[in-house]
Amino acid sequence: MSDEAGISYSATTDYHWTERAFTLLTSADLTVERHVAGGAPYFVVTGPCPRCGHHFADRQVTAALTGLSGPSRGEGSDAADVVFLDLTCSCGTAHQDAPQGATGCGVSFRIGIETAEG
């Protein structure tokens, strides 16, 4: 990853970038914080873009989907709540070949977050 704007803009959703984002999450370089405002949950994702490496911060308002982790595996265990966040690089850097007024390298990726409710 580079700290320069040397990576050209590319509107890509290649799964490789989702895998790279997962690596950044597991190493705690990419972080997700859950907040609540007016009773509505939202998430703030910060860290390096999985494609260009520039720092970005993205605020996502979404709803949790329940029961996506499979069947319960024992008494007292509940299925986890999972939130999927669809993100696009918003690093603020004007990358080469970007559309007029666009900032970020153009990559879009998805992360899934297990939430603990209760």
Side-chain angles (χ1 to χ4, degrees):
M1 302 298 137
S2 169
D3 284 337
E4 305 170 16
I7 295 176
S8 293
Y9 180 92
S10 178
T12 179
T13 58
D14 189 289
Y15 188 70
H16 168 76
W17 303 117
T18 291
E19 291 174 328
R20 175 74 179 129
F22 178 76
T23 300
L24 291 169
L25 276 170
T26 57
S27 67
D29 291 321
L30 191 63
T31 61
V32 181
E33 294 179 0
R34 183 178 188 273
H35 302 273
V36 178
Y42 68 93
F43 298 85
V44 176
V45 181
T46 58
C49 168
R51 182 169 179 262
C52 71
H54 296 133
H55 180 82
F56 76 96
D58 194 327
R59 182 174 181 242
Q60 296 276 317
V61 179
T62 187
L65 303 175
T66 60
L68 297 178
S69 67
S72 296
R73 294 197 174 148
E75 192 172 313
S77 68
D78 295 323
D81 289 338
V82 177
V83 175
F84 292 98
L85 304 176
D86 292 318
L87 303 158
T88 298
C89 178
S90 59
C91 69
T93 300
H95 286 267
Q96 181 180 352
D97 301 324
Q100 182 77 23
T103 59
C105 70
V107 70
S108 294
F109 55 97
R110 173 175 278 188
I111 58 175
I113 306 298
E114 286 190 20
T115 61
E117 301 293 326

